[in-house]
Amino acid sequence: MLGILLLHANHRVEREEIIEGVWGGNPPRSAVNLVQKYIGDVRRSLVLDDGSLQTVGTGYLLRVAADQLDSAQFTSGLMRAREKKSDGDLAAARQHLADAMALWRGPAYTGIETPAAATERACLDDYRSGALEDLAELDLLRGEIALAIPELSRLAAEHPYRERARELLMVALYRCGRQGDALAVFDEIRRLLADELGASPGHGLQRVHAQILRADPALGSTPVKEIRPSVPLPADMPAARRNCLPRDLPYFAGRHDELARLTVSADDRATVYTVDGMAGVGKTAFAVHAGHMLADRFPDGALFVDLQGHSAGKTPLTVEEILNVLLGQLGVTLAGDAGAQWRAKTAALRLLVVFDNAVDETQVAPLLPTGPSLVIVTSRARLLELDGARPMSMTVLAEAEAEAFFTHLVGADRASAEPEAVAQIVRLCAGLPLALRLSGARLAHRTTWPVAHLSAQLARARRRLPKLFADREVALAFRMSHEQLSPVDQQLFSALGRHPGADADTAVLAAMIGLPDGRADEALQRLVDVHLAEEPAPGRYRQHDLLRQYARGMSDDPGMTEKMLDHYLTAITEAAACVEENSPGTGAARVWLLAERANVLAATRCAAAEGQGGYAWQLAISLWHVLGRDLAGDSIELLEHALAAARETAEGGEDLLRTLLALAHWSAGHTARAYDLLTTSAMQRENTESHAHTLALLALMHLHRGAHAQAAQHAQTAFDELADLAELSPLGIDAKIITHWTRGVVQWLEGSPETALAHLRTAYALCGDLGQLSPNDHVLTALARCLIELSAADEALDHLRRACELRQRIGDRDGEAEALTLIGAAHRAMGDAGAALKSQQTAMTLLDDGSRLRVYARLELGRTLAALGDGTEAVRQHELALAIAVRGGHLREQAQAHDELARIYTGNNPGEARKHQQAAADLAVRLGLTCPKSLPHLRPAGW
């Protein structure tokens, strides 16, 4: 699991992807729960906080800084070595390479057999081989030939097709006086390529072979990559190497992995890389920087052409115009067919060519050189049909890289004086290099401005992005991309910007512009291909933050928002019906509801802000009906917005929302707030059913607080009000279940298990009328407690297994632990203390140390250990339970712990037994109990 999270570090990994990676095509039934458990294990093992390992929708995101990953340290070491070598510091370059190689412990991602892991494993292995070649080359340059030969021999054996390793080995052998061995290396690779691939050795190998044959003096001391053929050059080919690249940036941030990929590929026979990304992401800067880094590996020159594919006020260059530029940079006089000339002249040359700002594949395909060259093509569009090209997509800079870049622009002193303002600017620019560069330039030219002044300006300007950066604005780059879209694509671009969620599925975006889903998805794919949208998961789309700000300004159609809200309300209603009927599509409906809950919360906020309050409260109620127990902390915010909207519209729903909000607060442990809301709702009598439901919940809350008389009174009043109604809605049925449930628990606590059993059986029977929306697992656990006491543990066990399975399915870890603890109690009552111990030990692994339920679980575990004759461990568990109960102020559980300790000490330590008996009795008096009997772990039911 940790390997899969690190493989996708700083990106969300869907739960299904984790399950596939961990178990392949044969996951266990409990895979979802095991994923949650393993996530908790990773958090504890690595001491991670919630910000480092986050739950995001139905997936997880592990945030990792670059210096925390050995793979990132490795690629960074390769880049530092390259820079030191360029500076002429060969010793430092070799040390950086040696340090990088020391990080290797074997193949990467061993045991993770997923396509992504296989790709990354191959990529890292390629980096490693390239680094070994670089080490050997440095040893040759430093005269340490004896160090180079063994490593190169091993590398050539492991990777027989790596020509650069063979080329270096030939040079090393020749310099040791082993001319015959050097020629044998060439003969071996020549025969291997001919027999297995039908190919010939590359330009570099042939060049070294020829020099060995004629004992070229240059071969004895010149670096391999600088060895030039001694045959005369064509008359029209310049002897001096040409570098036509634009000026490199004085400071370049990030892109370590991408630069390492290009570095490793620089010695391949013929390679094309397509670098795509949104406007302003730094494609040109990257290509130019990479070109300058690698230029010395291309003895015949480095060429550059701006193809003007997305340049404001310019027409894209034609193929003929580009060929004229290329031939001119090579110093070739145009004569006849430019394409034929270009192909002929590049056949024997090793060039680095950068084609910047391409429109599409057709503009580039005729321009590819025919020799062993490296070509880098940048474009805002994905060039999917450029044969043999290796894609490389640019994303925005990571936060640390963006801060380093901005700090360089404005100066370390100013940045360090206002780190919070710098961080705010980085967030406002959303890591987009163009926005950061323009912001930094503005500040650098205004030396009297505090950094916070620019931060405040940008915060205000984000609402009017087209004015953000004057003439050289980010918006201009966006506008050029937007203008090339069809009208339908422009509409979807705007809809995606207006959607309030972090991402959106095809259906809602199609509804917002009134388009069939199929056509909308085709258009969205076109937006993805030109980097005006992203597809983080199949069928879900989002935009970069600044791009989204721009898109919102492209349309002020309020109808889009209303269509979105109407879509969500209809879709949730249909999904809820599917869940309630338990039809074949129930699983898919629940998955969709869980995936959309954050979007519905955002839509609720949007509805309230844009005067659509009716949608706001209806959406909240609809979502709660099916996901009340799955909404977690989101439910409070959702219902707060909905309640405010219901008050404003006065269309109804206020009482119900107040009750649901109370349930949400209760689930979150805010019992005082929940009690206040329920008490306020109980004063309203506009709807009898709603009022009875509120009273039933108050009864449950009084029971939870130990006020049994008040609990029974409220439950009876609610039951009487419901009895006057001819027909009950799901709300009324839920209320009736709670009244029986509450009265049953009160009767059990007061020593009348038979009466309690009748109430609890009635409550469970009523749960069937609510289907998927019922609180039956809570009723089942209460019913099981009662049955265990009445010596019907076998029936209790059946109920508890159903409750445990349901809680596993919905990911309720505390509820699952409670059921497992009770399953242990049932096994113990049936005389199988061994099975009881196993179940209760499993329960302990699911619980947090300080929870009230953990106290109860330890008490039950202690009882089981005592039944097994392990009095010492039983005492330890009861003492631990007592300590947690004292810390949490849980009086009832303290009484239970004292009672159990008194029971164990009786007979072997009368003094300790009397002490605990007295403590238990004192607490029972304070609680108004005749005995410290267990209180069920009560939680609000929801429906």
Side-chain angles (χ1 to χ4, degrees):
M1 169 100 89
L2 177 58
I4 290 167
L5 292 171
L6 290 172
L7 179 61
H8 302 276
N10 301 311
H11 296 279
R12 182 176 71 179
V13 190
E14 285 299 321
R15 186 170 56 207
E16 289 72 20
E17 192 172 353
I18 292 174
I19 290 172
E20 175 64 25
V22 174
W23 290 285
N26 189 31
R29 291 178 60 191
S30 58
V32 171
N33 290 311
L34 286 173
V35 167
Q36 293 170 335
K37 177 185 181 301
Y38 294 165
I39 286 288
D41 292 346
V42 168
R43 278 202 181 97
R44 285 188 291 274
S45 300
L46 300 184
V47 197
L48 300 174
D49 55 28
D50 290 341
S52 299
L53 180 49
Q54 298 176 320
T55 301
V56 183
T58 56
Y60 301 92
L61 185 151
L62 179 59
R63 295 196 180 281
V64 180
D67 60 358
Q68 291 179 284
L69 282 178
D70 53 2
S71 58
Q73 293 172 19
F74 171 68
T75 52
S76 178
L78 301 189
M79 300 313 303
R80 286 195 295 272
R82 184 73 187 154
E83 291 165 359
K84 289 296 182 183
K85 180 175 177 293
S86 297
D87 295 339
D89 191 344
L90 302 184
R94 194 190 191 286
Q95 187 59 53
H96 281 306
L97 277 175
D99 291 344
M101 292 307 304
L103 295 168
W104 280 81
R105 299 289 184 272
Y109 297 106
T110 300
I112 306 177
E113 301 306 327
T114 67
T119 300
E120 187 67 10
R121 186 184 299 120
C123 186
L124 285 170
D125 190 53
D126 201 26
Y127 291 175
R128 176 180 177 275
S129 299
L132 289 172
E133 290 169 348
D134 288 345
L135 266 173
E137 183 185 29
L138 285 169
D139 288 336
L140 290 178
L141 292 171
R142 296 168 64 240
E144 302 283 352
I145 302 173
L147 292 175
I149 291 176
E151 194 60 60
L152 286 169
S153 298
R154 276 194 298 271
L155 191 59
E158 291 173 8
H159 302 279
Y161 297 113
R162 290 191 73 92
E163 295 193 18
R164 185 176 177 228
R166 303 263 187 166
E167 184 180 333
L168 291 165
L169 179 58
M170 288 171 66
V171 173
L173 291 168
Y174 179 79
R175 289 182 182 176
C176 282
R178 298 166 58 184
Q179 175 180 330
D181 290 337
L183 292 172
V185 170
F186 179 81
D187 189 53
E188 181 185 6
I189 185 65
R190 180 186 59 76
R191 283 188 287 104
L192 181 70
L193 291 172
D195 293 346
E196 298 193 14
L197 303 178
S200 300
H203 176 66
L205 278 169
Q206 293 189 37
R207 182 182 60 207
V208 173
H209 180 248
Q211 290 183 304
I212 291 174
L213 289 175
R214 61 175 177 271
D216 192 330
L219 195 60
S221 57
T222 309
V224 177
K225 61 167 56 66
E226 296 296 331
I227 298 172
R228 301 297 303 277
S230 56
V231 296
L233 293 168
D236 58 353
M237 186 65 71
R241 179 169 54 206
R242 292 175 175 268
N243 188 327
C244 301
L245 297 169
R247 185 178 69 90
D248 196 7
L249 291 174
Y251 179 83
F252 187 84
R255 315 299 189 200
H256 301 296
D257 288 349
E258 293 86 349
L259 288 169
R261 282 180 64 190
L262 283 174
T263 301
V264 169
S265 302
D267 293 304
D268 291 353
R269 286 180 58 79
T271 309
V272 179
Y273 272 96
T274 57
V275 180
D276 56 76
M278 66 183 292
V281 81
K283 300 180 294 296
T284 300
F286 168 79
V288 170
H289 181 69
H292 280 287
M293 278 188 54
L294 301 174
D296 63 346
R297 293 197 181 190
F298 296 89
D300 298 311
L303 313 182
F304 178 93
V305 185
D306 179 2
L307 308 187
Q308 299 180 180
H310 302 90
S311 301
K314 296 181 180 179
T315 303
L317 297 182
T318 64
V319 171
E320 290 72 19
E321 289 172 328
I322 300 166
L323 286 169
N324 285 340
V325 174
L326 290 168
L327 291 170
Q329 289 180 1
L330 285 176
V332 176
T333 303
L334 182 62
D337 185 341
Q341 265 190 291
W342 168 251
R343 289 189 295 274
K345 297 305 180 185
T346 58
L349 299 181
R350 182 160 169 74
L351 297 166
L352 185 149
V353 185
V354 177
F355 293 123
D356 186 42
N357 202 9
V359 177
D360 53 28
E361 298 91 338
T362 61
Q363 190 184 27
V364 177
L367 308 173
L368 300 180
T370 54
S373 299
L374 173 65
V375 178
I376 304 172
V377 187
T378 76
S379 177
R380 293 185 192 176
R382 291 178 174 171
L383 306 183
L384 304 174
E385 298 178 10
L386 194 59
D387 289 342
R390 304 178 185 181
M392 186 183 290
S393 290
M394 294 279 111
T395 58
V396 296
L397 293 175
E399 186 175 342
E401 296 169 343
E403 287 190 7
F405 181 43
F406 187 78
T407 297
H408 173 80
L409 293 170
V410 303
D413 292 343
R414 292 176 79 181
S416 61
E418 299 179 75
E420 292 182 3
V422 170
Q424 174 71 354
I425 290 172
V426 167
R427 283 193 294 272
L428 290 168
C429 292
L432 191 67
L434 176 58
L436 288 165
R437 181 164 55 81
L438 296 176
S439 298
R442 174 179 286 192
L443 198 59
H445 287 86
R446 292 164 176 79
T447 56
T448 60
W449 279 16
V451 180
H453 180 70
L454 177 62
S455 173
Q457 274 200 344
L458 293 178
R460 290 191 298 270
R462 275 168 64 89
R463 298 187 186 89
R464 44 188 178 85
L465 185 64
K467 303 292 184 183
L468 189 56
F469 292 111
D471 294 334
R472 301 168 63 202
E473 62 211 346
V474 175
L476 176 62
F478 293 163
R479 179 168 61 82
M480 289 301 300
S481 295
H482 180 262
E483 286 177 351
Q484 295 177 12
L485 299 176
S486 70
V488 169
D489 293 3
Q490 287 182 348
Q491 280 185 291
L492 268 174
F493 176 75
S494 299
L496 192 52
R498 289 186 64 83
H499 187 277
D503 61 13
D505 66 6
T506 303
V508 70
L509 295 169
M512 289 174 73
I513 65 169
L515 201 66
D517 286 6
R519 285 189 61 199
D521 196 63
E522 291 172 3
L524 286 163
Q525 288 298 318
R526 290 194 293 272
L527 292 181
V528 170
D529 286 342
V530 296
H531 291 280
L532 291 178
E534 300 171 4
E535 190 178 15
R540 302 197 69 83
Y541 301 91
R542 68 185 180 197
Q543 286 173 322
H544 177 274
D545 197 28
L546 287 181
L547 191 60
R548 187 175 180 184
Q549 294 288 333
Y550 179 80
R552 284 178 182 172
M554 292 292 98
S555 172
D556 57 359
D557 178 11
M560 276 191 183
T561 300
E562 188 168 351
K563 289 174 184 174
M564 173 195 68
L565 296 170
D566 190 64
H567 167 82
Y568 277 133
L569 190 56
T570 302
I572 290 170
T573 302
E574 291 173 354
C578 186
V579 170
E580 187 171 357
E581 294 165 5
N582 199 20
S583 66
T586 294
R590 283 195 66 83
V591 168
W592 181 84
L593 286 162
L594 288 166
E596 292 299 328
R597 60 186 175 185
N599 279 341
V600 174
L601 175 60
T604 303
R605 291 194 209 101
C606 177
E610 298 194 17
Q612 300 279 0
Y615 280 109
W617 68 263
Q618 290 179 71
L619 280 170
I621 290 175
S622 298
L623 194 64
W624 176 272
H625 280 185
V626 280
L627 290 183
R629 291 170 62 181
D630 293 311
L631 284 168
D634 288 343
S635 60
I636 292 176
E637 184 182 358
L638 174 75
L639 294 165
E640 291 277 16
H641 282 294
L643 182 57
R647 286 177 182 145
E648 187 174 334
T649 60
E651 296 174 352
E654 191 173 341
D655 290 344
L656 178 55
L657 283 162
R658 193 182 292 108
T659 300
L660 297 180
L661 183 58
L663 283 171
H665 278 293
W666 192 359
S667 293
H670 312 150
T671 52
R673 175 65 175 147
Y675 183 78
D676 290 343
L677 285 162
L678 288 173
T679 303
T680 302
S681 289
M683 295 182 208
Q684 312 298 322
R685 293 181 174 271
E686 294 177 5
N687 182 291
T688 301
E689 202 172 45
S690 179
H691 184 256
H693 191 261
T694 300
L695 289 177
L697 290 173
L698 271 173
L700 201 57
M701 180 165 275
H702 283 305
L703 179 60
H704 184 73
R705 298 166 75 177
H708 300 163
Q710 288 173 286
Q713 180 184 347
H714 276 83
Q716 187 63 52
T717 303
F719 182 79
D720 293 341
E721 288 186 4
L722 293 168
D724 294 333
L725 299 176
E727 189 176 349
L728 297 179
S729 73
L731 183 69
I733 296 171
D734 190 53
K736 197 169 183 179
I737 291 169
I738 296 171
T739 63
H740 282 292
W741 174 18
T742 304
R743 287 181 293 169
V745 174
V746 169
Q747 290 295 319
W748 177 70
L749 289 170
E750 293 183 351
S752 301
E754 292 83 1
T755 308
L757 186 61
H759 277 298
L760 292 169
R761 287 196 189 280
T762 302
Y764 183 56
L766 288 167
C767 285
D769 295 337
L770 283 182
Q772 294 288 310
L773 309 179
S774 73
N776 59 351
D777 57 316
H778 297 292
V779 176
L780 281 171
T781 53
L783 177 58
R785 290 169 187 269
C786 194
L787 287 166
I788 292 170
E789 184 162 334
L790 290 169
S791 302
D794 52 347
E795 183 186 348
L797 201 55
D798 289 339
H799 293 320
L800 289 168
R801 284 170 176 156
R802 282 199 296 276
C804 187
E805 184 181 349
L806 186 151
R807 288 170 173 178
Q808 273 188 336
R809 192 164 64 245
I810 65 174
D812 181 359
R813 288 169 63 88
D814 282 356
E816 183 185 350
E818 181 197 20
L820 286 169
T821 301
L822 282 168
I823 286 172
H827 280 302
R828 191 177 67 240
M830 296 167 70
D832 190 351
L837 182 65
K838 184 178 179 181
S839 179
Q840 289 170 348
Q841 286 176 332
T842 302
M844 293 294 294
T845 65
L846 299 173
L847 295 168
D848 295 330
D849 284 337
S851 72
R852 186 173 190 171
L853 183 54
R854 192 174 181 87
V855 182
Y856 169 67
R858 284 199 183 279
L859 288 169
E860 280 295 334
L861 181 57
R863 291 174 184 136
T864 299
L865 289 163
L868 287 166
D870 191 349
T872 302
E873 183 60 22
V875 167
R876 191 178 81 85
Q877 290 298 330
H878 290 316
E879 287 178 341
L880 286 169
L882 179 59
I884 299 171
V886 169
R887 268 200 315 272
H890 309 314
L891 300 183
R892 183 180 300 280
E893 286 78 6
Q894 290 178 45
Q896 292 164 18
H898 282 299
D899 190 57
E900 293 298 332
L901 287 166
R903 196 188 314 278
I904 293 175
Y905 282 125
T906 298
N908 58 38
N909 193 335
E912 278 295 304
R914 282 194 297 274
K915 182 182 76 172
H916 286 294
Q917 283 170 350
Q918 187 59 54
D922 292 343
L923 286 163
V925 170
R926 288 175 63 185
L927 290 163
L929 302 173
T930 55
C931 66
K933 191 178 288 184
S934 294
L935 179 69
H937 182 62
L938 296 170
R939 288 170 292 161
W943 55 270

